[in-house]
Amino acid sequence: MTEARDMKDSLLDHLGRFLARRLHSPNAGYEPYTPSDPATLSRSLRAGDILLVEGNQKVSAAIKYLTQSTWSHAALFVGTALKPDDESTDEYPQLVEVNLGEGCVAVPLSKYARFNTRICRPVGLTPDDRAAVVAYMVERLGVRYDMKNIFDLLRYFFPTPPVPVRWRRR
């Protein structure tokens, strides 16, 4: 029984990665209204803030449709938590995000220079709370994305799939 479940999970994982590659292809014709300046964002953001992003990929369009939102992606600003000791570089990872197919990764602000963005600042968090949130996400760098979630996303488009009830995920 366990071997069959592992094989099914492996198959779903493979299929999920294939779909992730397809969904990550960019939509043609995306033009941001006001591109983000990474230097200005860096000065404005505080550790623990969320950067909302309007993505330009096929999966972004699906997320915006399902959530009825302009924003399709969110990344946590960690400030200087990942800054290398070598001061010679101005660009270093300041955001931690979880991407379809990649998992939990750290990226520089410049990744979103060509996208519409918005800062979402949590209210009522103490500096200790912010530090705890940042530490939690930094500890999760490298964690893989559960590709089976793609099928949950697809279920919204096909609410009653042509699959026997016993094979459906709950």
Side-chain angles (χ1 to χ4, degrees):
M1 179 71 174
T2 305
E3 187 176 312
R5 181 180 297 141
D6 289 344
M7 191 166 99
K8 178 182 166 191
D9 287 346
S10 177
L11 178 64
L12 288 176
D13 198 50
H14 259 20
L15 192 54
R17 291 197 188 289
F18 170 76
L19 288 172
R21 284 191 301 274
R22 298 281 302 213
L23 290 171
H24 265 289
S25 60
N27 278 332
Y30 173 81
E31 281 297 321
Y33 297 114
T34 54
S36 301
D37 174 36
T40 304
L41 272 177
S42 183
R43 287 191 305 271
S44 303
L45 288 162
R46 287 192 262 166
D49 285 352
I50 303 296
L51 185 67
L52 300 175
V53 181
E54 179 188 33
N56 71 336
Q57 300 166 330
K58 290 179 181 170
V59 70
S60 302
I63 291 168
K64 288 189 280 187
Y65 171 77
L66 291 172
T67 61
Q68 296 294 295
S69 172
T70 304
W71 314 107
S72 61
H73 186 66
L76 178 75
F77 183 74
V78 296
T80 58
L82 298 171
K83 188 171 186 175
D85 294 332
D86 176 17
E87 296 290 329
S88 66
T89 180
D90 288 338
E91 185 167 285
Y92 57 92
Q94 291 180 281
L95 297 170
V96 173
E97 59 187 14
V98 180
N99 292 325
L100 188 65
E102 287 181 282
C104 189
V105 296
V107 298
L109 281 169
S110 61
K111 176 179 180 181
Y112 295 115
R114 297 265 315 131
F115 295 89
N116 294 321
T117 57
R118 176 170 284 172
I119 297 171
C120 184
R121 180 162 290 150
V123 178
L125 289 183
T126 66
D128 289 341
D129 293 337
R130 287 176 175 274
V133 168
V134 167
Y136 179 86
M137 288 305 293
V138 168
E139 288 172 7
R140 270 127 192 102
L141 287 172
V143 172
R144 289 182 40 179
Y145 192 90
D146 182 2
M147 299 309 292
K148 289 178 266 181
N149 290 328
I150 293 176
F151 292 101
D152 291 334
L153 180 65
L154 290 175
R155 284 189 341 190
Y156 286 102
F157 292 110
F158 305 107
T160 52
V163 176
V165 175
R166 62 189 162 113
W167 288 1
R168 296 182 193 167
R169 290 182 65 203
R170 289 179 178 35

